[in-house]
Amino acid sequence: MTHETPGTARPVTGFYWHERCFWHDPGAIGVFAAPGEFRQPQPASESAESKRRLKNMLEVSGLIDELAVRKAPPATREDLERFHTSRYLEALVAGDRDRGGEAGDCAPYTPGSLAAARQSAGLAIAAVEAVATGELANAYALCRPPGHHAEADQGRGFCLLGNIPVAVMRARALGQVGRVAILDWDVHHGNGQQSAFYADPEVLTVSIHQAGNYPLDTGAFEEQGEGAGQGACLNLPLPPGCGLGAYAHAMETLVLPALEAFRPELIVVACGYDACAKDPLGKMLLNGRAFGEMTRGLMALAERVCGGRLVMIHEGGYSEGYVPFCGHAVIEALACSELAVPDPQNDEIAAWGYQALQPHQQSLIDDWRERWFAHPSPDERIP
């Protein structure tokens, strides 16, 4: 079944991917930042497998036939320099021509990785542009390497280039969009987006993540922007062990109201799946259904405030077997599809202990909400 906008012959949901993104090789480092004497080589946690399996599931389920499947050119140097420093980009080029290296903290790469990273940023650019200009109603970009930890002058946490900052800065520079809200629900803090727009009142960055995971030095609730951007950065560092109840409460009482009060023209999601219960690098308890429900909540909000303009940029998620179910649930929701791939873990995970909202979780989230809306800035933010 193809979902079309009245009077057109195009699917409303774009799906952007490119084989080159799957060819990025961070090296045989397993769950570590680098090889070492007693670290037996093994494939890196950030591998192509979870992304390739998601695309394969879309093919097998038939959902891909309901999408506008597209490629995109790699990001240009001009696009990248809106966010990244020339010195950092030159260092990446030099390393790529040699034997690779470390782009920064926990960001190893090998020759060929830069081409994959430029392609990944290009997918984000194309998805944001198509939705911002109204060519598509919403879109999903299957980006790899991920980007939400990359900063202007360094890579971090498996990320070489800042896919979302690069795409958003380009769209704004070209006049395609003004106010943008970026929601990061990856289990790790979205420090890249935060650093990119920390002083910008026209871009709201929201990150809901596991407290004290990665990076260790960012992501506190008290980090709310600076200068003109004070009040345009919201962090929800949830305690480990949060499940369906905690995430639903956080979304319904703080995240969605904060986004709605900001009145963005476009919503971009750093769509990581490492808050799922099966992830080796996170300690949260979500199932695939939760990601679909969060997506539907965002879609309803986007319809109210920005004509439905919503873009999902694939970020983390390291359970090769379970990420495809989570991603399929998100794309099913985006496409308003009647397809429903049965998730063999949904009910089991939902039945685990401590899935309900716990008192300490509710108290923390309610306190953040009260404090966030107590000081309207930079605009009146009334839920």
Side-chain angles (χ1 to χ4, degrees):
M1 178 178 177
T2 299
H3 297 266
E4 300 175 352
T5 299
T8 74
R10 63 169 177 80
V12 298
T13 299
F15 179 71
Y16 290 80
W17 79 284
H18 199 288
E19 177 66 26
R20 182 171 291 280
C21 292
F22 299 157
W23 290 16
H24 162 55
D25 181 10
I29 59 173
V31 299
F32 303 103
E37 181 181 1
F38 296 103
R39 302 171 193 170
Q40 181 176 339
Q42 66 180 105
S45 293
E46 199 295 294
S47 72
E49 189 67 9
S50 61
K51 292 80 175 175
R52 195 185 298 277
R53 283 173 174 262
L54 171 54
K55 180 183 175 292
N56 290 347
M57 184 177 284
L58 295 172
E59 294 272 8
V60 172
S61 73
L63 180 55
I64 202 164
D65 298 323
E66 301 182 19
L67 310 174
V69 181
R70 299 185 176 182
K71 301 286 195 293
T76 66
R77 181 64 176 258
E78 179 183 8
D79 294 332
L80 297 178
E81 285 186 343
R82 289 191 181 92
F83 175 47
H84 292 290
T85 66
S86 295
R87 182 176 182 179
Y88 172 58
L89 294 175
E90 286 300 329
L92 281 181
V93 170
D96 196 69
R97 288 174 178 168
D98 190 14
R99 297 182 179 180
E102 285 281 345
D105 176 49
C106 299
Y109 67 102
T110 57
S113 291
L114 181 56
R118 289 181 58 228
Q119 185 64 67
S120 183
L123 296 178
I125 286 171
V128 166
E129 179 173 283
V131 175
T133 60
E135 182 184 348
L136 294 169
N138 58 44
Y140 191 101
L142 188 59
C143 295
R144 180 177 183 265
H148 77 137
H149 292 312
E151 297 175 352
D153 59 353
Q154 65 175 336
R156 295 185 78 178
F158 309 145
C159 303
L160 304 182
L161 299 174
N163 298 328
I164 291 176
V166 166
V168 169
M169 287 182 178
R170 181 182 186 275
R172 295 181 71 209
L174 297 181
Q176 296 168 348
V177 69
R179 293 167 71 84
V180 178
I182 301 170
L183 168 61
D184 191 323
W185 64 39
D186 189 289
V187 83
H188 306 105
H189 177 235
N191 63 288
Q193 291 94 232
Q194 175 171 305
S195 68
F197 302 107
Y198 205 55
D200 190 338
E202 296 297 300
V203 179
L204 173 68
T205 59
V206 181
S207 179
I208 178 170
H209 53 272
Q210 180 183 323
N213 188 324
Y214 184 91
L216 293 175
D217 57 343
T218 65
F221 175 79
E222 290 72 21
E223 298 166 20
Q224 296 190 7
E226 64 184 8
Q230 177 65 38
C233 173
L234 172 60
N235 286 305
L236 286 73
L238 296 174
C242 285
L244 305 178
Y247 271 80
H249 187 66
M251 290 291 291
E252 292 167 7
T253 66
L254 181 48
V255 173
L256 294 179
L259 293 174
E260 185 156 14
F262 186 72
R263 308 298 296 180
E265 300 168 25
L266 171 73
I267 299 172
V268 181
V269 179
C271 188
Y273 299 109
D274 34 14
C276 82
K278 298 293 183 177
D279 197 89
L281 300 184
K283 295 295 179 284
M284 298 307 201
L285 303 176
L286 298 187
N287 57 11
R289 184 182 297 123
F291 288 100
E293 290 174 349
M294 290 193 296
T295 300
R296 281 184 284 273
L298 275 175
M299 290 176 69
L301 171 65
E303 286 295 334
R304 293 195 300 272
V305 302
C306 57
R309 288 185 285 274
L310 176 64
V311 181
M312 301 284 191
I313 306 296
H314 194 105
E315 290 289 348
Y318 309 101
S319 172
E320 296 176 356
Y322 200 53
V323 162
F325 290 98
C326 299
H328 201 281
V330 166
I331 299 171
E332 284 174 21
L334 281 178
C336 300
S337 177
E338 296 177 2
L339 284 172
V341 167
D343 183 334
Q345 294 292 300
N346 261 329
D347 293 341
E348 177 184 331
I349 292 172
W352 287 2
Y354 300 97
Q355 281 289 11
L357 178 65
Q358 302 298 301
H360 71 287
Q361 298 164 351
Q362 180 171 356
S363 177
L364 187 64
I365 295 165
D366 290 349
D367 178 64
W368 288 336
R369 173 186 165 83
E370 182 177 348
R371 293 163 62 190
W372 177 254
F373 287 110
H375 301 95
S377 174
D379 296 315
E380 291 295 321
R381 49 193 192 195
I382 302 172

